[in-house]
Amino acid sequence: MSYNILVVDDEKELADVIELYLTADGCTVHKCYTGKEALECIAHTDLDLAILDVMLPDVDGFQICKKIREKFWYPVIMLTAKGTDVDKIMGLTIGADDYITKPFNPLEVAARVKTQLRRYRLYNHCAAKQGEPAREYDIRGLVINRDSHKCFLFGNELQLTPIEFAILWYLCERQGVVVPSEELFEAVWGEKFLQNNNTVMAHIGRLREKMEEPARNPRFIKTVWGIGYTIEK
């Protein structure tokens, strides 16, 4: 199957090398050397994945990634000359799926592209089309797998209790939907929800602690006051 890949980098030689390796794998590559060109391509091309350089002469890669996430959920891989954790977390927080530091081996880029496309098609796209239950979700760096019962955040495994895992899985299954506290309690605990039951709130609090979520502006589990919780798309 042929994939449409956007490559955005102002270093033309580097973009050419990436194109060479991806076309060898059967991909169609759309090269852009500025942020403006990239935004035009995003608006008018049916893409399967984007590779974005952070440092561009006009619009930086972070802004392009944000623009992509306003409408699309195909994988985004960030390229940067900076290797600090702050830059990596910044990219993943705004919606990037992977992060590669320059200089890099083009074979690594090709391998990362294959991995992201496989995840996107297998877990997020195909399952939704065929009506099959997903076995894994990959949401902006949060990866949770039902078969292995493991959860990773930006590559680091979270040590979750069975109840915490069940809560997070239920919210991931309903990504973009506000789940009432009553529904979440009855689905996870299998018991009738009673008024003034703070069990769900307490477990969400512990989950956020393990995910190192900022209390006032969490990146993943959002509180919709008076209703329940959601993981936004």
Side-chain angles (χ1 to χ4, degrees):
M1 182 175 183
S2 179
Y3 295 102
N4 285 319
I5 311 295
L6 171 64
V7 176
V8 187
D9 200 312
D10 59 337
E11 297 181 54
K12 295 185 179 182
E13 296 81 3
L14 188 57
D16 288 344
V17 171
I18 295 174
E19 178 186 30
L20 181 66
Y21 279 78
L22 293 181
T23 53
D25 286 335
C27 298
T28 299
V29 176
H30 304 265
K31 290 185 295 184
C32 296
Y33 306 119
T34 67
K36 184 178 179 181
E37 291 176 356
L39 293 174
E40 281 288 318
C41 182
I42 290 163
H44 299 100
T45 309
D46 185 14
L47 298 170
D48 297 293
L49 183 144
I51 300 174
L52 309 176
D53 185 21
V54 170
M55 302 300 293
L56 293 168
D58 48 0
V59 184
D60 67 42
F62 292 137
Q63 295 301 316
I64 298 172
C65 183
K66 287 181 180 179
K67 197 68 178 176
I68 289 173
R69 287 294 175 252
E70 289 178 5
K71 292 185 177 180
F72 307 108
W73 287 101
Y74 51 74
V76 174
I77 299 175
M78 307 295 295
L79 302 178
T80 182
K82 299 178 180 180
T84 65
D85 288 339
V86 173
D87 292 312
K88 182 176 181 180
I89 292 172
M90 172 66 176
L92 294 172
T93 300
I94 63 174
D97 299 277
D98 203 354
Y99 207 93
I100 302 175
T101 304
K102 298 178 180 179
F104 51 76
N105 186 330
L107 286 172
E108 179 188 0
V109 176
R112 298 279 191 98
V113 166
K114 287 180 182 178
T115 298
Q116 291 299 331
L117 287 172
R118 184 169 61 249
R119 285 178 178 174
Y120 177 62
R121 291 296 183 185
L122 179 60
Y123 299 123
N124 300 335
H125 188 67
C126 291
K129 270 194 169 182
Q130 299 170 7
E132 298 175 359
R135 312 306 298 176
E136 179 176 293
Y137 291 98
D138 187 344
I139 303 172
R140 302 187 299 279
L142 173 66
V143 179
I144 184 167
N145 187 289
R146 191 168 191 169
D147 293 331
S148 65
H149 217 267
K150 290 186 177 182
C151 180
F152 296 86
L153 183 61
F154 307 138
N156 298 314
E157 185 173 358
L158 300 178
Q159 300 300 322
L160 303 182
T161 66
I163 289 293
E164 290 166 350
F165 184 94
I167 290 172
L168 191 55
W169 179 265
Y170 196 84
L171 291 174
C172 287
E173 275 189 315
R174 289 151 183 80
Q175 184 186 2
V177 175
V178 179
V179 179
S181 299
E182 298 91 330
E183 177 184 335
L184 191 55
F185 180 86
E186 292 178 4
V188 172
W189 277 268
E191 300 174 5
K192 186 69 177 176
F193 181 84
L194 301 176
Q195 292 299 322
N196 301 319
N197 189 333
N198 295 321
T199 303
V200 171
M201 183 174 65
H203 279 80
I204 291 289
R206 282 196 285 271
L207 257 176
R208 285 174 173 160
E209 287 179 7
K210 292 184 178 182
M211 297 169 72
E212 298 183 357
E213 289 266 66
R216 292 189 176 182
N217 188 27
R219 293 161 295 180
F220 293 97
I221 304 175
K222 306 278 188 179
T223 300
V224 181
W225 295 108
I227 303 178
Y229 304 91
T230 185
I231 294 179
E232 296 178 343
K233 285 189 175 181

